[in-house]
């Protein structure tokens, strides 16, 4: 049996709104909604080169997991 999981998609804050707690509030609310539905595993996709986004999500308790490989062109 597989556990249910959730995925946070398209979660970003415009540059002028950053460093004001908006991202943390959005992420906390999303995680809370998943938890209220009994969903324990929650994912977010972050571009590897986006170091500030990686740090943001890691500070919220998210850990690096699976890698996705892409073929472009």
């Amino acid at each position: 049996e597989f556990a249910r999981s959730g995925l946070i998609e398209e979660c970003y804050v415009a540059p002028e709104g950053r460093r004001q707690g908006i991202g943390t509030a959005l992420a906390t609310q999303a995680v809370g909604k998943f938890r209220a539905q009994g969903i324990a595993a929650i994912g977010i996709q972050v571009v590897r080169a986006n170091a500030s986004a990686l740090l943001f999500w890691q500070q919220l308790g998210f850990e690096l997991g699976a890698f996705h490989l892409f073929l472009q062109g």
Side-chain angles (χ1 to χ4, degrees):
E1 181 178 320
F2 292 100
R4 292 176 55 204
S5 62
L7 177 64
I8 298 172
E9 292 189 88
E10 303 295 330
C11 184
Y12 61 91
V13 175
E16 62 272 13
R18 294 181 185 156
R19 302 299 224 185
Q20 299 177 39
I22 296 169
T24 301
L26 288 169
T28 301
Q29 184 174 18
V31 168
K33 288 186 177 287
F34 283 123
R35 297 283 193 244
Q37 296 177 48
I39 296 172
I42 304 165
I44 177 81
Q45 293 182 357
V46 179
V47 176
R48 182 178 7 181
N50 191 342
S52 61
L54 284 169
L55 179 61
F56 170 80
W57 291 102
Q58 287 174 324
Q59 288 175 334
L60 291 176
F62 286 75
E63 299 177 359
L64 290 175
F67 289 94
H68 298 271
L69 303 176
F70 296 92
L71 176 63
Q72 297 182 5

